Amino acid sequence: MLSETCSAPVHSAAASPPPEAVLTVVHVEKSFGDNHVLRDFSLVLHRGENVVVLGKSGSGKSVLIKCIIGLLLPDAGRITVLGQDVATLSHAALDQLRTKVGFLFQSNALYDSMTVRENLLFPLRRHWLAHSPAEEDQLVRQALEDVGLAHTAGLLPAELSGGMRKRIALARTLILRPDIILYDEPTTGLDPVTAREIDHLIREVQRKYGTSALIISHDLNCVRLTADRVALLVDGRCYAEGTYEQLRDRPDPVSHEFFA
Amino acid sequence: MPHPTILASTGALTHFAGRFFREVVRPRYEVQEWLYQCYVVGYQSLPLVGSTAFIMGLVLTLRLRPTMVQFGAESWIPTMVGLTIIREMGPIITALMVAGKVSSNIGAELGSMRVTEQIDSMEVSGTNPFKYLVVTRVLATTLMLPVLTIVADAISLYASYLGVNMQGVTTLALFSHNILGRLNFSDITAAVVKTFCFGFAIGLIGCYKGYYADKGTEGVGQAANSAVVVSSLAVFILDLLAVQVCLVLGIA
Amino acid sequence: MSQRTTHNYVRLGLFVAVGLGCLVVTLYMLGQQQRLFNRSILVQADFRNVSGLLAGNNVRLGGIAVGNVRTIEIRNDSTVRVTMRLNQEVRAFVHQNTLATIGTDGLVGNTIINLNTQPGPALPIGSGDVLPTSTPASFETMLGPLAASSTNLVAITHDLRQMTQRLNGSQPLWQLLDDRQLAGRVRRSLGNVEAATGRLSTASRDVQLLAQGVRQGHGAAGYLLTNKALGGQLDHAARQLAGTSDTLAATLAGLRHQLQGAGALNTLLADTAFSRQLRQSMHSVELGTAGFSRSMEALQHNFLLRGYLRRQQRRQQRAQVAHQP
């Protein structure tokens, strides 16, 4: 039913020399039984760039992001992160790669039984990034200051509000100084004001650390505020790609549905 | 997960157990987390298990007394209560209490971690969640249940001693002599081996139910609930098996 | 985590130490009790019947557990060889002539082996020695003569009653007796004999009933436990037996004395065939009661009735004490 796909522009973008591609997704397919979630999806993320994948709920956005981080294996296609093919990596190499890729879960995934400080230290310690206690303190403080919650180190996640938890989750991602951050619906479940704060925070992180970000969202405000580029995910394919304004002004009914 | 049949879920559980045995021998070893789980399973269950054991020992003794007096076999009360507790009631009651407390706890904890993507988050943070969550907990229940049972037996026997002394006088020396006189090494070893199996089943089922919890908070509740039900049932089935195995091996 | 303090690990360590400590202490005490850590000697004994003895049952010397049964094997159609383990330290007290018997430990207790030291010189026991044995009379074999005795008694008392009736009814006999006092005494004695024999026959019937009940296969203990009425019956029977045999003995002694001592009557009676018959009857009554008391004595040695009879004795003593002042 759809004739227009975005695979061609992606390839041309990857071919142009100046922006370095940190993440490429090529012809990825993934299905659960009869449910074909991703069919021939392709996307490129360049260094320092924020790309938003916009799609309806249940359209396979989360599946895409989990394939990228190696939590799910795609049925077909290739995913390259920082030059390494995720599917072929050994467990140790995958762990190594994951230190450079941050993942902000939709539900934050803060460990309930640990304090904020311990939550932040968890990835640091688990990745064998040995640090002296003083250095650990410095890193935790820095990460918490980046998200504006320096005073919460001793609290448990249950004692925080939704927006604070999102920030802590972001701080936990930032503490490893990743090259790429994957945001899984960062504003879902937040009130508009808090959501806008998070959007600004995403921008700020991009400016401060020069990280690239792949953001999964169906929240138009979030898309407008954070995206350098937007990819429309429809029926498991990349339906269209461009800036927020370009896509908003597209005349076809499928794009229109998203921006109505 | 659709509604699996009993056979299918038994198969899945066996597969889960197989994965446990594969992972338990491979490094890296999560010693810290394991010790903490031992503390949670062992030490923190102690008040519950201890009070249950105390009540059981006392009630058993007081209940048995009228019947034994009728038969003129009052002096057999310590022996009967002692053997009952050490062979059967101690392990079973402890296992059931731990199944109720710990198995549901594990089921709910892992279930909510699954639902809120904490398990995925661990994987992304360079941690094997199976090792960090499942192996440590199953090992903790397996090793702590025998210790809990021994302590519960001791408490229970002490309660029984108090019960005997409520209506008569028996010295501690005579009391322990009565029990030890009829006790065999095989009684104790069989009971201890049995509790290892109980502990393993409780931990494994709790972890299995939690680890594969369905999405949503309902899944968490379901995981906790079915963890208790299935592990309690498993305790009884294992106990039946243990009795049969003991009979076949000629122990007791 | 916040709760993962060293403090908690110390608690965990304490908890595990206490648990394992309990286990170790129990195992050690169990070993001590079963004397696994002591040196021991093995001795043997051959029995015809071990009455359900099991490996692990106690061996007692003078009522003290000094070892346990190791193995039980059938050697041939009439011998069961029991190997028992005795503690090294009791070796000095067990001689080669020490008698091994099978016994029971309480009413519903386990079968045990009793070692009874015998008088006379003998060497101390050594490893592998075979002890002499004796099989004590079982409850069953004790009941046999008892039942037979009581059957005899019934017959005898029947005879006796007939005779006393005839004696009583024989007018010429009484007329011949010049000594009124003696005649009165003999009359009284005969009346006593009649009453006593009546009681004796009911008592022996009771005992027969008991023996029958036991024979029906309930087993002695089982029968006593299940049949409450029987307990009462037995009580009654034994009390009657005790009383009756006492009276009977006294009466008979008195009668004989009178018969032998009183010249006129004695001469008179000595000549008649009737007198011989009477003497014979008296003799068989004596024999019967003797047999009866032997059976009673055997019963007294049986554990089942021991307690009861002891109580009985005490009660009698108390009654006597009460009567004396």
Side-chain angles (χ1 to χ4, degrees):
Chain A
M1 139 181 143
L2 296 165
S3 53
E4 193 182 354
T5 68
C6 56
S7 46
V10 167
H11 281 300
S12 66
S16 58
E20 178 200 358
V22 288
L23 171 68
T24 57
V25 178
V26 185
H27 304 302
V28 163
E29 291 175 23
K30 177 76 187 174
S31 50
F32 298 96
D34 290 337
N35 181 14
H36 302 285
V37 180
L38 293 178
R39 337 172 181 219
D40 192 22
F41 184 85
S42 298
L43 184 72
V44 171
L45 178 65
H46 299 111
R47 188 169 287 283
E49 184 186 31
N50 276 4
V51 172
V52 174
V53 176
L54 182 60
K56 282 188 270 191
S57 293
S59 60
K61 297 170 304 201
S62 288
V63 173
L64 169 68
I65 211 169
K66 281 183 178 168
C67 284
I68 291 170
I69 200 71
L71 287 173
L72 293 173
L73 272 182
D75 298 337
R78 234 165 68 97
I79 296 174
T80 316
V81 178
L82 300 171
Q84 290 173 295
D85 187 346
V86 174
T88 61
L89 287 178
S90 70
H91 210 274
L94 191 60
D95 275 349
Q96 189 56 41
L97 180 64
R98 281 168 179 169
T99 63
K100 302 199 182 75
V101 183
F103 195 129
L104 188 70
F105 286 89
Q106 182 179 349
S107 53
N108 305 326
L110 293 176
Y111 306 121
D112 299 324
S113 54
M114 304 184 200
T115 62
V116 166
R117 182 188 146 78
E118 284 161 343
N119 261 293
L120 261 58
L121 286 176
F122 189 85
L124 211 56
R125 288 180 175 162
R126 305 305 299 188
H127 278 303
W128 300 100
L129 301 172
H131 294 285
S132 67
E135 211 176 335
E136 280 181 353
D137 275 345
Q138 166 64 29
L139 283 167
V140 168
R141 201 166 48 242
Q142 179 63 50
L144 286 177
E145 274 169 12
D146 284 342
V147 297
L149 289 172
H151 59 284
T152 58
L155 299 179
L156 286 170
E159 297 167 315
L160 304 174
S161 70
M164 286 161 97
R165 266 181 251 167
K166 189 64 81 182
R167 283 161 188 256
I168 298 297
L170 182 56
R172 189 174 64 180
T173 311
L174 287 176
I175 201 165
L176 291 173
R177 295 287 145 73
D179 294 332
I180 307 168
I181 300 179
L182 307 174
Y183 294 93
D184 190 358
E185 309 215 359
T187 56
T188 301
L190 298 176
D191 64 89
V193 180
T194 315
R196 203 151 45 239
E197 283 172 19
I198 297 294
D199 294 336
H200 288 305
L201 198 58
I202 292 171
R203 272 293 184 197
E204 205 177 299
V205 166
Q206 184 196 16
R207 263 199 301 280
K208 189 165 177 183
Y209 295 109
T211 53
S212 321
L214 185 68
I215 302 158
I216 302 287
S217 185
H218 56 237
D219 173 7
L220 281 183
N221 274 325
C222 171
V223 177
R224 186 166 49 80
L225 288 170
T226 58
D228 296 325
R229 201 147 55 82
V230 181
L232 273 186
L233 176 60
V234 178
D235 284 330
R237 294 185 178 84
C238 182
Y239 177 77
E241 203 180 326
T243 62
Y244 177 77
E245 288 76 17
Q246 282 171 356
L247 291 185
R248 188 188 56 196
D249 299 338
R250 278 171 70 100
D252 62 290
V254 177
S255 308
H256 195 72
E257 217 172 52
F258 280 101
F259 295 94
Chain B
M1 220 170 13
H3 297 291
T5 64
I6 290 177
L7 280 180
S9 53
T10 308
L13 191 62
T14 313
H15 184 255
F16 194 71
R19 188 170 169 198
F20 167 80
F21 284 116
R22 268 201 312 282
E23 302 260 14
V24 74
V25 289
R26 288 191 200 150
R28 103 197 229 193
Y29 305 115
E30 308 283 358
V31 178
Q32 276 268 323
E33 176 68 12
W34 171 67
L35 280 177
Y36 178 69
Q37 289 305 325
C38 283
Y39 171 76
V40 171
V41 173
Y43 187 83
Q44 292 193 342
S45 303
L46 197 53
L48 181 74
V49 169
S51 48
T52 318
F54 186 88
I55 293 166
M56 182 188 64
L58 197 61
V59 169
L60 211 58
T61 309
L62 296 179
R63 275 295 186 188
L64 204 57
R65 192 181 175 83
T67 321
M68 296 302 267
V69 166
Q70 215 168 29
F71 281 91
E74 248 178 289
S75 59
W76 280 77
I77 294 175
T79 315
M80 281 200 68
V81 174
L83 289 194
T84 312
I85 286 170
I86 290 171
R87 280 188 187 155
E88 199 55 54
M89 293 305 273
I92 273 282
I93 294 283
T94 311
L96 285 183
M97 294 316 286
V98 171
K101 182 182 187 291
V102 175
S103 193
S104 64
N105 198 5
I106 291 176
E109 192 183 3
L110 295 201
S112 68
M113 288 184 85
R114 165 64 71 194
V115 168
T116 59
E117 299 175 301
Q118 291 176 51
I119 290 178
D120 286 339
S121 165
M122 280 199 170
E123 178 124 36
V124 172
S125 297
T127 301
N128 181 341
F130 194 91
K131 260 189 208 307
Y132 190 84
L133 299 172
V134 176
V135 171
T136 55
R137 280 165 173 77
V138 175
L139 265 188
T141 53
T142 308
L143 296 176
M144 283 302 110
L145 195 68
V147 183
L148 267 176
T149 305
I150 292 163
V151 174
D153 280 354
I155 293 173
S156 206
L157 290 178
Y158 180 70
S160 171
Y161 169 68
L162 290 184
V164 168
N165 273 293
M166 273 181 181
Q167 292 152 312
V169 178
T170 304
T171 61
L172 192 58
L174 179 62
F175 183 83
S176 60
H177 202 275
N178 271 342
I179 295 172
L180 289 171
R182 297 282 159 178
L183 206 59
N184 291 319
F185 276 104
S186 56
D187 288 329
I188 295 183
T189 45
V192 170
V193 168
K194 196 159 78 172
T195 52
F196 274 111
C197 299
F198 289 170
F200 179 72
I202 290 168
L204 193 77
I205 290 167
C207 285
Y208 172 76
K209 292 290 178 187
Y211 204 72
Y212 294 119
D214 289 335
K215 289 273 176 191
T217 43
E218 199 191 340
V220 177
Q222 225 163 39
N225 183 30
S226 64
V228 177
V229 173
V230 177
S231 57
S232 303
L233 187 66
V235 163
F236 279 112
I237 292 171
L238 282 176
D239 195 45
L240 182 67
L241 280 179
V243 169
Q244 293 301 319
V245 168
C246 280
L247 284 179
V248 168
L249 293 180
I251 308 167
Chain C
M1 289 185 195
S2 51
Q3 298 132 309
R4 283 170 211 226
T5 57
T6 326
H7 200 64
N8 287 346
Y9 291 130
V10 171
R11 284 184 192 165
L12 174 66
L14 262 176
F15 162 68
V16 173
V18 166
L20 294 183
C22 282
L23 182 66
V24 168
V25 166
T26 312
L27 288 180
Y28 178 75
M29 280 166 70
L30 204 55
Q32 199 86 353
Q33 182 113 2
Q34 300 187 344
R35 298 192 170 77
L36 288 185
F37 309 131
N38 289 17
R39 300 206 304 142
S40 59
I41 52 171
L42 289 177
V43 295
Q44 295 168 326
D46 294 336
F47 294 91
R48 271 189 84 86
N49 181 347
V50 292
S51 315
L53 191 74
L54 294 170
N57 279 144
N58 278 334
V59 177
R60 293 188 179 167
L61 172 68
I64 300 170
V66 293
N68 52 41
V69 174
R70 257 303 176 66
T71 57
I72 299 167
E73 50 185 345
I74 300 179
R75 300 205 80 198
N76 55 48
D77 57 357
S78 64
T79 316
V80 178
R81 168 150 291 185
V82 176
T83 307
M84 46 200 150
R85 209 175 43 76
L86 300 183
N87 301 331
Q88 184 75 34
E89 59 259 40
V90 299
R91 196 181 158 198
F93 311 114
V94 182
H95 300 276
Q96 280 176 353
N97 66 348
T98 298
L99 206 60
T101 55
I102 303 282
T104 43
D105 180 12
L107 190 61
V108 284
N110 284 351
T111 311
I112 56 171
I113 290 186
N114 283 311
L115 298 181
N116 304 306
T117 49
Q118 301 295 313
L123 291 170
I125 195 104
S127 213
D129 283 354
V130 180
L131 292 173
T133 60
S134 84
T135 311
S138 69
F139 195 67
E140 176 77 0
T141 51
M142 263 183 263
L143 282 172
L146 182 68
S149 300
S150 54
T151 317
N152 285 347
L153 270 179
V154 171
I156 291 163
T157 48
H158 183 71
D159 284 356
L160 201 61
R161 185 179 297 158
Q162 267 187 343
M163 274 182 285
T164 47
Q165 269 163 3
R166 262 156 64 189
L167 267 179
N168 265 333
S170 164
Q171 274 309 103
L173 175 66
W174 298 112
Q175 280 166 0
L176 275 172
L177 292 170
D178 51 350
D179 187 342
R180 283 192 176 255
Q181 233 186 326
L182 178 69
R185 278 216 297 271
V186 170
R187 239 181 232 284
R188 254 205 315 282
S189 293
L190 286 173
N192 280 349
V193 168
E194 191 169 354
T197 48
R199 271 185 285 156
L200 194 60
S201 66
T202 48
S204 51
R205 250 203 314 280
D206 282 350
V207 174
Q208 263 182 315
L209 213 65
L210 163 72
Q212 211 177 5
V214 173
R215 285 247 175 78
Q216 268 163 5
H218 296 294
Y223 199 82
L224 280 179
L225 289 173
T226 49
N227 191 347
K228 272 193 184 167
L230 188 84
Q233 272 173 18
L234 185 66
D235 196 58
H236 182 70
R239 204 177 4 235
Q240 282 221 322
L241 275 179
T244 310
S245 45
D246 283 353
T247 335
L248 204 58
T251 315
L252 283 174
L255 202 59
R256 190 194 288 153
H257 176 74
Q258 281 158 13
L259 288 178
Q260 279 171 350
L265 180 66
N266 187 30
T267 332
L268 180 90
L269 289 175
D271 287 344
T272 62
F274 180 72
S275 158
R276 204 167 52 245
Q277 211 185 342
L278 182 66
R279 264 173 209 279
Q280 219 166 34
S281 290
M282 289 295 175
H283 185 61
S284 43
V285 167
E286 267 184 292
L287 280 181
T289 44
F292 201 87
S293 33
R294 261 204 307 282
S295 299
M296 282 303 287
E297 202 169 302
L299 262 183
Q300 277 179 355
H301 286 287
N302 190 291
F303 69 92
L304 264 178
L305 302 173
R306 200 183 296 151
Y308 161 73
L309 290 168
R310 213 178 290 138
R311 249 181 290 131
Q312 183 80 5
Q313 211 173 5
R314 262 204 304 275
R315 203 179 303 147
Q316 269 176 4
Q317 276 171 357
R318 235 177 291 131
Q320 276 174 3
V321 168
H323 275 293
Q324 260 160 14

